[in-house]
Amino acid sequence: MGAQQEPENNHHLVTSEDQDHPANLIPSLCAKFWNLGWVTGTGGGCSIRDGDLVYIAPSGVQKELMKASDLYVLSLQQQQPDLKNRTYVRSPPHGKPSQCTPLFLAAFTRRGAGCCIHTHSQWAVLVTLLLEAQGSGSDKVFEINNIEQIKGFGRGFQKSGNLGYHDTLRIPVIENTAHEEDLTEFLEEAMDKHPDTYAVLVRRHGVYVWGDNVHKAKTMCESLDYLFQLAVQMKHLGIPWLSDIPETLPRAKADIK
Ligand SMILES: CSCCC(=O)C(=O)COP(=O)(O)O
Ligand SMILES: [Zn+2]
């Protein structure tokens, strides 16, 4: 017999037969993300906003083994305006919410995101290290163009459509801090400086990716990890991340600006 849940603990918020309910989706997505090396050794995570409610994983747990009953639930309306001293409308009997919570909340409150994913992908970390090695100030933004997968990204905040093959994808990079929650002000600065980005890289740590809904956040996170891996291999092969399509190649008339 498991621990008896107190009815006042709003346990109903994490009880659903619907596999797409946030309380079920976060554990199932994190189990998939673990297989990709995105949430290794309790790192990384995922948070989903469903209307006013935000579902958050617990801290320091094996993200691939989470259950719906492990999750915290926060009401954005009840929290406003103070997002620092957080209270939860539902908490599990033990543990504490993810250190990533303020960063997830930044995506929900400043970009109206419906889902935010945080990975410790080695490809993301390697890209930040390659940029660091380049130095001379160019280490603050990852840029790549003329790769088909770039079409996997939205054009930007409150803009419709996706980037095109000839567009340059730009992802800002912030420096890591001793404590995850201390990243928040730097993530928010990066959002302000790059209003159209859907992701922020964290040097030597990983990446935060958000989207209007789970589908968009997940597919942009997958596309980004694909591009990070490609970028690392391109660097090995001496192929620049930014290139011009040779004029000799055929370009559709619509593409010629
Ligand atoms: C070894 S993970 C260190 C903390 C971290 O970077 C992370 O993303 C997970 O933090 P949480 O509080 O969700 O365990
Ligand atoms: Zn992390």
Side-chain angles (χ1 to χ4, degrees), residues 119-168:
T119 90
H120 282 195
S121 162
Q122 292 188 32
W123 300 115
V125 174
L126 279 168
V127 161
T128 69
L129 290 169
L130 288 169
L131 286 167
E132 186 181 68
Q134 277 176 201
S136 68
S138 65
D139 60 340
K140 299 299 184 196
V141 182
F142 168 70
E143 295 180 302
I144 192 166
N145 69 354
N146 295 320
I147 301 289
E148 185 70 4
Q149 198 69 32
I150 289 172
K151 292 179 181 177
F153 288 84
R155 285 183 52 244
F157 182 49
Q158 295 179 332
K159 293 179 180 175
S160 60
N162 280 23
L163 293 176
Y165 171 60
H166 295 298
D167 288 325
T168 297

Tab-separated table of all heavy atoms in Angstrom, residues 119-168:
chain	number	residue	atom	x	y	z
A	119	THR	N	18.144	20.371	-21.311
A	119	THR	CA	18.942	19.164	-21.498
A	119	THR	C	20.383	19.400	-21.081
A	119	THR	O	20.864	20.547	-21.108
A	119	THR	CB	18.954	18.676	-22.977
A	119	THR	OG1	20.034	19.275	-23.686
A	119	THR	CG2	17.643	18.927	-23.674
A	120	HIS	N	21.052	18.329	-20.727
A	120	HIS	CA	22.495	18.325	-20.487
A	120	HIS	C	23.185	17.609	-21.646
A	120	HIS	O	24.209	16.969	-21.462
A	120	HIS	CB	22.814	17.625	-19.158
A	120	HIS	CG	22.554	18.482	-17.973
A	120	HIS	ND1	23.039	18.205	-16.719
A	120	HIS	CD2	21.841	19.618	-17.836
A	120	HIS	CE1	22.674	19.136	-15.859
A	120	HIS	NE2	21.914	19.996	-16.515
A	121	SER	N	22.624	17.750	-22.831
A	121	SER	CA	23.173	17.105	-24.031
A	121	SER	C	24.657	17.422	-24.208
A	121	SER	O	25.073	18.591	-24.146
A	121	SER	CB	22.419	17.591	-25.268
A	121	SER	OG	23.171	17.333	-26.446
A	122	GLN	N	25.452	16.399	-24.449
A	122	GLN	CA	26.881	16.614	-24.656
A	122	GLN	C	27.119	17.444	-25.928
A	122	GLN	O	28.092	18.207	-25.996
A	122	GLN	CB	27.613	15.273	-24.758
A	122	GLN	CG	27.633	14.495	-23.442
A	122	GLN	CD	28.546	13.264	-23.529
A	122	GLN	OE1	29.544	13.256	-24.232
A	122	GLN	NE2	28.170	12.230	-22.802
A	123	TRP	N	26.219	17.325	-26.910
A	123	TRP	CA	26.407	18.107	-28.135
A	123	TRP	C	26.230	19.591	-27.833
A	123	TRP	O	26.972	20.432	-28.369
A	123	TRP	CB	25.434	17.649	-29.225
A	123	TRP	CG	25.598	16.219	-29.586
A	123	TRP	CD1	24.694	15.204	-29.402
A	123	TRP	CD2	26.757	15.607	-30.170
A	123	TRP	NE1	25.222	14.015	-29.849
A	123	TRP	CE2	26.479	14.229	-30.307
A	123	TRP	CE3	28.008	16.098	-30.574
A	123	TRP	CZ2	27.399	13.335	-30.848
A	123	TRP	CZ3	28.930	15.213	-31.124
A	123	TRP	CH2	28.632	13.852	-31.257
A	124	ALA	N	25.301	19.917	-26.963
A	124	ALA	CA	25.113	21.321	-26.573
A	124	ALA	C	26.347	21.816	-25.828
A	124	ALA	O	26.860	22.908	-26.109
A	124	ALA	CB	23.864	21.447	-25.694
A	125	VAL	N	26.849	21.014	-24.909
A	125	VAL	CA	28.039	21.415	-24.142
A	125	VAL	C	29.244	21.584	-25.057
A	125	VAL	O	29.971	22.589	-24.978
A	125	VAL	CB	28.340	20.367	-23.044
A	125	VAL	CG1	29.657	20.681	-22.339
A	125	VAL	CG2	27.194	20.312	-22.030
A	126	LEU	N	29.412	20.649	-26.008
A	126	LEU	CA	30.564	20.730	-26.918
A	126	LEU	C	30.497	21.990	-27.780
A	126	LEU	O	31.507	22.664	-28.011
A	126	LEU	CB	30.615	19.478	-27.807
A	126	LEU	CG	31.230	18.240	-27.159
A	126	LEU	CD1	30.972	16.998	-28.017
A	126	LEU	CD2	32.729	18.444	-26.952
A	127	VAL	N	29.320	22.363	-28.238
A	127	VAL	CA	29.192	23.583	-29.043
A	127	VAL	C	29.611	24.801	-28.219
A	127	VAL	O	30.333	25.689	-28.709
A	127	VAL	CB	27.743	23.723	-29.563
A	127	VAL	CG1	27.439	25.155	-29.990
A	127	VAL	CG2	27.502	22.786	-30.747
A	128	THR	N	29.223	24.842	-26.927
A	128	THR	CA	29.631	25.990	-26.096
A	128	THR	C	31.151	25.991	-25.876
A	128	THR	O	31.767	27.069	-25.794
A	128	THR	CB	28.920	25.990	-24.724
A	128	THR	OG1	29.396	24.901	-23.931
A	128	THR	CG2	27.408	25.904	-24.879
A	129	LEU	N	31.754	24.800	-25.836
A	129	LEU	CA	33.213	24.723	-25.652
A	129	LEU	C	33.935	25.157	-26.928
A	129	LEU	O	34.954	25.864	-26.877
A	129	LEU	CB	33.616	23.295	-25.276
A	129	LEU	CG	33.196	22.845	-23.865
A	129	LEU	CD1	33.404	21.349	-23.692
A	129	LEU	CD2	33.984	23.618	-22.810
A	130	LEU	N	33.404	24.758	-28.089
A	130	LEU	CA	34.010	25.163	-29.366
A	130	LEU	C	33.930	26.673	-29.527
A	130	LEU	O	34.886	27.325	-29.955
A	130	LEU	CB	33.306	24.453	-30.525
A	130	LEU	CG	33.600	22.959	-30.668
A	130	LEU	CD1	32.636	22.312	-31.668
A	130	LEU	CD2	35.052	22.741	-31.104
A	131	LEU	N	32.803	27.252	-29.133
A	131	LEU	CA	32.657	28.715	-29.221
A	131	LEU	C	33.616	29.400	-28.255
A	131	LEU	O	34.242	30.413	-28.574
A	131	LEU	CB	31.214	29.120	-28.908
A	131	LEU	CG	30.191	28.826	-30.001
A	131	LEU	CD1	28.776	28.959	-29.468
A	131	LEU	CD2	30.407	29.738	-31.203
A	132	GLU	N	33.765	28.822	-27.066
A	132	GLU	CA	34.679	29.387	-26.056
A	132	GLU	C	36.101	29.378	-26.603
A	132	GLU	O	36.848	30.350	-26.449
A	132	GLU	CB	34.602	28.559	-24.785
A	132	GLU	CG	35.392	29.098	-23.609
A	132	GLU	CD	35.249	28.172	-22.394
A	132	GLU	OE1	35.756	27.041	-22.445
A	132	GLU	OE2	34.613	28.599	-21.420
A	133	ALA	N	36.457	28.275	-27.297
A	133	ALA	CA	37.821	28.144	-27.825
A	133	ALA	C	38.062	29.172	-28.927
A	133	ALA	O	39.178	29.667	-29.103
A	133	ALA	CB	38.020	26.737	-28.367
A	134	GLN	N	36.961	29.544	-29.654
A	134	GLN	CA	37.094	30.565	-30.704
A	134	GLN	C	37.403	31.924	-30.071
A	134	GLN	O	38.165	32.707	-30.607
A	134	GLN	CB	35.779	30.699	-31.484
A	134	GLN	CG	35.590	29.704	-32.581
A	134	GLN	CD	34.205	29.867	-33.208
A	134	GLN	OE1	33.708	28.966	-33.816
A	134	GLN	NE2	33.559	31.022	-33.041
A	135	GLY	N	36.766	32.185	-28.909
A	135	GLY	CA	37.004	33.427	-28.170
A	135	GLY	C	36.662	34.658	-28.983
A	135	GLY	O	35.793	34.628	-29.839
A	136	SER	N	37.374	35.732	-28.699
A	136	SER	CA	37.231	37.056	-29.373
A	136	SER	C	35.773	37.476	-29.474
A	136	SER	O	35.315	37.950	-30.508
A	136	SER	CB	37.836	36.986	-30.795
A	136	SER	OG	37.029	36.132	-31.614
A	137	GLY	N	35.000	37.205	-28.400
A	137	GLY	CA	33.654	37.766	-28.380
A	137	GLY	C	32.660	36.999	-29.222
A	137	GLY	O	31.458	37.151	-29.065
A	138	SER	N	33.157	36.110	-30.124
A	138	SER	CA	32.196	35.379	-30.979
A	138	SER	C	31.632	34.188	-30.227
A	138	SER	O	30.923	33.366	-30.762
A	138	SER	CB	32.929	34.877	-32.228
A	138	SER	OG	33.911	33.911	-31.811
A	139	ASP	N	31.972	34.104	-28.916
A	139	ASP	CA	31.559	32.908	-28.168
A	139	ASP	C	30.177	33.071	-27.546
A	139	ASP	O	29.728	32.239	-26.797
A	139	ASP	CB	32.594	32.614	-27.088
A	139	ASP	CG	32.721	33.772	-26.110
A	139	ASP	OD1	32.323	34.900	-26.483
A	139	ASP	OD2	33.197	33.559	-24.991
A	140	LYS	N	29.512	34.217	-27.851
A	140	LYS	CA	28.241	34.486	-27.163
A	140	LYS	C	27.006	34.048	-27.957
A	140	LYS	O	25.895	34.125	-27.440
A	140	LYS	CB	28.141	35.990	-26.885
A	140	LYS	CG	29.250	36.539	-25.979
A	140	LYS	CD	29.259	35.895	-24.610
A	140	LYS	CE	30.311	36.551	-23.705
A	140	LYS	NZ	30.616	35.714	-22.525
A	141	VAL	N	27.204	33.655	-29.231
A	141	VAL	CA	26.056	33.241	-30.052
A	141	VAL	C	26.488	32.082	-30.950
A	141	VAL	O	27.551	32.136	-31.576
A	141	VAL	CB	25.547	34.398	-30.948
A	141	VAL	CG1	24.322	33.953	-31.758
A	141	VAL	CG2	25.201	35.621	-30.112
A	142	PHE	N	25.690	31.029	-30.980
A	142	PHE	CA	25.883	29.928	-31.936
A	142	PHE	C	25.102	30.277	-33.191
A	142	PHE	O	23.895	30.576	-33.099
A	142	PHE	CB	25.370	28.615	-31.352
A	142	PHE	CG	25.263	27.504	-32.369
A	142	PHE	CD1	26.413	26.927	-32.900
A	142	PHE	CD2	24.030	27.039	-32.802
A	142	PHE	CE1	26.337	25.903	-33.848
A	142	PHE	CE2	23.939	26.007	-33.750
A	142	PHE	CZ	25.084	25.458	-34.284
A	143	GLU	N	25.789	30.278	-34.347
A	143	GLU	CA	25.117	30.604	-35.614
A	143	GLU	C	25.396	29.523	-36.644
A	143	GLU	O	26.531	29.042	-36.768
A	143	GLU	CB	25.641	31.949	-36.146
A	143	GLU	CG	25.319	33.146	-35.287
A	143	GLU	CD	25.877	34.430	-35.892
A	143	GLU	OE1	27.106	34.485	-36.107
A	143	GLU	OE2	25.073	35.337	-36.166
A	144	ILE	N	24.368	29.166	-37.384
A	144	ILE	CA	24.536	28.191	-38.461
A	144	ILE	C	23.507	28.484	-39.543
A	144	ILE	O	22.403	28.981	-39.232
A	144	ILE	CB	24.405	26.736	-37.923
A	144	ILE	CG1	24.870	25.707	-38.959
A	144	ILE	CG2	22.989	26.453	-37.448
A	144	ILE	CD1	25.088	24.306	-38.369
A	145	ASN	N	23.879	28.220	-40.820
A	145	ASN	CA	22.905	28.482	-41.892
A	145	ASN	C	23.023	27.418	-42.988
A	145	ASN	O	23.907	26.557	-42.974
A	145	ASN	CB	23.098	29.888	-42.471
A	145	ASN	CG	24.416	30.017	-43.253
A	145	ASN	OD1	25.227	29.098	-43.276
A	145	ASN	ND2	24.608	31.159	-43.883
A	146	ASN	N	22.101	27.500	-43.929
A	146	ASN	CA	22.089	26.599	-45.096
A	146	ASN	C	22.147	25.122	-44.720
A	146	ASN	O	22.901	24.329	-45.327
A	146	ASN	CB	23.260	26.942	-46.034
A	146	ASN	CG	23.083	28.339	-46.614
A	146	ASN	OD1	21.961	28.730	-46.962
A	146	ASN	ND2	24.149	29.112	-46.645
A	147	ILE	N	21.363	24.754	-43.697
A	147	ILE	CA	21.154	23.352	-43.317
A	147	ILE	C	19.638	23.132	-43.252
A	147	ILE	O	18.929	23.910	-42.609
A	147	ILE	CB	21.780	23.028	-41.951
A	147	ILE	CG1	23.299	23.302	-41.950
A	147	ILE	CG2	21.485	21.577	-41.552
A	147	ILE	CD1	24.142	22.331	-42.774
A	148	GLU	N	19.150	22.110	-43.885
A	148	GLU	CA	17.697	21.858	-44.000
A	148	GLU	C	16.990	21.846	-42.646
A	148	GLU	O	15.881	22.357	-42.514
A	148	GLU	CB	17.469	20.527	-44.730
A	148	GLU	CG	15.996	20.199	-45.022
A	148	GLU	CD	15.358	21.089	-46.081
A	148	GLU	OE1	16.063	21.936	-46.674
A	148	GLU	OE2	14.123	20.966	-46.281
A	149	GLN	N	17.652	21.306	-41.602
A	149	GLN	CA	16.979	21.147	-40.302
A	149	GLN	C	16.624	22.481	-39.652
A	149	GLN	O	15.802	22.535	-38.722
A	149	GLN	CB	17.864	20.330	-39.346
A	149	GLN	CG	17.124	19.742	-38.156
A	149	GLN	CD	16.141	18.632	-38.543
A	149	GLN	OE1	16.389	17.900	-39.503
A	149	GLN	NE2	15.042	18.514	-37.821
A	150	ILE	N	17.194	23.565	-40.157
A	150	ILE	CA	16.887	24.898	-39.599
A	150	ILE	C	15.397	25.197	-39.768
A	150	ILE	O	14.792	25.925	-38.978
A	150	ILE	CB	17.769	25.981	-40.283
A	150	ILE	CG1	19.219	25.847	-39.828
A	150	ILE	CG2	17.239	27.390	-40.015
A	150	ILE	CD1	20.199	26.732	-40.583
A	151	LYS	N	14.783	24.545	-40.763
A	151	LYS	CA	13.341	24.727	-40.983
A	151	LYS	C	12.523	24.222	-39.796
A	151	LYS	O	11.336	24.491	-39.679
A	151	LYS	CB	12.892	23.977	-42.234
A	151	LYS	CG	13.423	24.532	-43.542
A	151	LYS	CD	12.927	23.694	-44.708
A	151	LYS	CE	13.439	24.197	-46.034
A	151	LYS	NZ	13.000	23.299	-47.161
A	152	GLY	N	13.175	23.505	-38.860
A	152	GLY	CA	12.471	22.997	-37.682
A	152	GLY	C	12.166	24.052	-36.641
A	152	GLY	O	11.520	23.778	-35.631
A	153	PHE	N	12.618	25.316	-36.910
A	153	PHE	CA	12.469	26.365	-35.894
A	153	PHE	C	11.456	27.425	-36.295
A	153	PHE	O	11.375	27.834	-37.453
A	153	PHE	CB	13.829	27.057	-35.664
A	153	PHE	CG	14.772	26.176	-34.940
A	153	PHE	CD1	15.510	25.239	-35.641
A	153	PHE	CD2	14.858	26.214	-33.570
A	153	PHE	CE1	16.354	24.373	-34.981
A	153	PHE	CE2	15.706	25.356	-32.900
A	153	PHE	CZ	16.461	24.427	-33.613
A	154	GLY	N	10.724	27.861	-35.257
A	154	GLY	CA	9.803	28.975	-35.490
A	154	GLY	C	10.580	30.230	-35.828
A	154	GLY	O	11.748	30.365	-35.459
A	155	ARG	N	9.878	31.163	-36.508
A	155	ARG	CA	10.550	32.411	-36.906
A	155	ARG	C	10.779	33.330	-35.714
A	155	ARG	O	11.640	34.203	-35.742
A	155	ARG	CB	9.742	33.119	-37.988
A	155	ARG	CG	9.860	32.460	-39.362
A	155	ARG	CD	9.111	33.201	-40.437
A	155	ARG	NE	9.490	34.604	-40.437
A	155	ARG	CZ	8.636	35.587	-40.161
A	155	ARG	NH1	7.381	35.313	-39.841
A	155	ARG	NH2	9.031	36.847	-40.183
A	156	GLY	N	9.985	33.155	-34.666
A	156	GLY	CA	10.250	33.993	-33.495
A	156	GLY	C	9.008	34.295	-32.680
A	156	GLY	O	7.881	33.959	-33.074
A	157	PHE	N	9.211	34.938	-31.553
A	157	PHE	CA	8.139	35.240	-30.602
A	157	PHE	C	7.021	36.034	-31.278
A	157	PHE	O	7.273	37.065	-31.892
A	157	PHE	CB	8.733	36.025	-29.432
A	157	PHE	CG	7.750	36.358	-28.343
A	157	PHE	CD1	6.917	35.382	-27.813
A	157	PHE	CD2	7.649	37.654	-27.864
A	157	PHE	CE1	6.014	35.679	-26.797
A	157	PHE	CE2	6.746	37.966	-26.857
A	157	PHE	CZ	5.928	36.975	-26.334
A	158	GLN	N	5.806	35.479	-31.212
A	158	GLN	CA	4.614	36.110	-31.787
A	158	GLN	C	4.727	36.307	-33.298
A	158	GLN	O	4.103	37.196	-33.877
A	158	GLN	CB	4.322	37.447	-31.071
A	158	GLN	CG	3.957	37.237	-29.597
A	158	GLN	CD	3.686	38.530	-28.860
A	158	GLN	OE1	4.226	39.586	-29.216
A	158	GLN	NE2	2.875	38.454	-27.815
A	159	LYS	N	5.551	35.470	-33.933
A	159	LYS	CA	5.646	35.478	-35.399
A	159	LYS	C	5.166	34.115	-35.909
A	159	LYS	O	5.408	33.095	-35.258
A	159	LYS	CB	7.085	35.714	-35.857
A	159	LYS	CG	7.603	37.109	-35.535
A	159	LYS	CD	9.044	37.277	-36.004
A	159	LYS	CE	9.571	38.678	-35.685
A	159	LYS	NZ	11.019	38.803	-36.043
A	160	SER	N	4.521	34.107	-37.060
A	160	SER	CA	4.036	32.824	-37.586
A	160	SER	C	5.086	32.229	-38.531
A	160	SER	O	5.985	32.925	-39.001
A	160	SER	CB	2.739	33.053	-38.360
A	160	SER	OG	2.990	33.949	-39.432
A	161	GLY	N	4.951	30.945	-38.772
A	161	GLY	CA	5.840	30.281	-39.715
A	161	GLY	C	7.178	29.885	-39.120
A	161	GLY	O	7.486	30.204	-37.968
A	162	ASN	N	7.969	29.200	-39.967
A	162	ASN	CA	9.275	28.693	-39.541
A	162	ASN	C	10.393	29.328	-40.358
A	162	ASN	O	10.158	29.937	-41.400
A	162	ASN	CB	9.315	27.166	-39.723
A	162	ASN	CG	8.623	26.447	-38.577
A	162	ASN	OD1	7.773	27.032	-37.891
A	162	ASN	ND2	8.977	25.206	-38.338
A	163	LEU	N	11.604	29.200	-39.841
A	163	LEU	CA	12.775	29.677	-40.571
A	163	LEU	C	12.909	28.900	-41.883
A	163	LEU	O	12.362	27.796	-42.029
A	163	LEU	CB	14.036	29.480	-39.721
A	163	LEU	CG	14.148	30.332	-38.450
A	163	LEU	CD1	15.400	29.945	-37.666
A	163	LEU	CD2	14.158	31.813	-38.788
A	164	GLY	N	13.630	29.480	-42.821
A	164	GLY	CA	13.841	28.825	-44.117
A	164	GLY	C	15.267	28.309	-44.248
A	164	GLY	O	16.138	28.587	-43.432
A	165	TYR	N	15.481	27.550	-45.335
A	165	TYR	CA	16.794	26.932	-45.565
A	165	TYR	C	17.917	27.958	-45.574
A	165	TYR	O	19.019	27.710	-45.089
A	165	TYR	CB	16.735	26.184	-46.913
A	165	TYR	CG	18.048	25.662	-47.407
A	165	TYR	CD1	18.789	24.749	-46.660
A	165	TYR	CD2	18.571	26.079	-48.630
A	165	TYR	CE1	20.006	24.254	-47.120
A	165	TYR	CE2	19.783	25.602	-49.097
A	165	TYR	CZ	20.496	24.695	-48.341
A	165	TYR	OH	21.700	24.221	-48.791
A	166	HIS	N	17.657	29.146	-46.123
A	166	HIS	CA	18.728	30.139	-46.242
A	166	HIS	C	18.824	31.058	-45.030
A	166	HIS	O	19.678	31.946	-45.001
A	166	HIS	CB	18.521	30.980	-47.514
A	166	HIS	CG	18.638	30.183	-48.778
A	166	HIS	ND1	19.785	29.526	-49.155
A	166	HIS	CD2	17.727	29.906	-49.750
A	166	HIS	CE1	19.598	28.901	-50.302
A	166	HIS	NE2	18.350	29.108	-50.691
A	167	ASP	N	17.934	30.853	-44.025
A	167	ASP	CA	18.004	31.712	-42.839
A	167	ASP	C	19.157	31.259	-41.948
A	167	ASP	O	19.573	30.095	-41.976
A	167	ASP	CB	16.680	31.631	-42.054
A	167	ASP	CG	15.544	32.341	-42.770
A	167	ASP	OD1	15.822	33.376	-43.419
A	167	ASP	OD2	14.401	31.870	-42.717
A	168	THR	N	19.654	32.191	-41.134
A	168	THR	CA	20.685	31.851	-40.147
A	168	THR	C	20.026	31.645	-38.792
A	168	THR	O	19.290	32.527	-38.323
A	168	THR	CB	21.741	32.972	-40.061
A	168	THR	OG1	22.405	33.080	-41.332
A	168	THR	CG2	22.759	32.669	-38.963
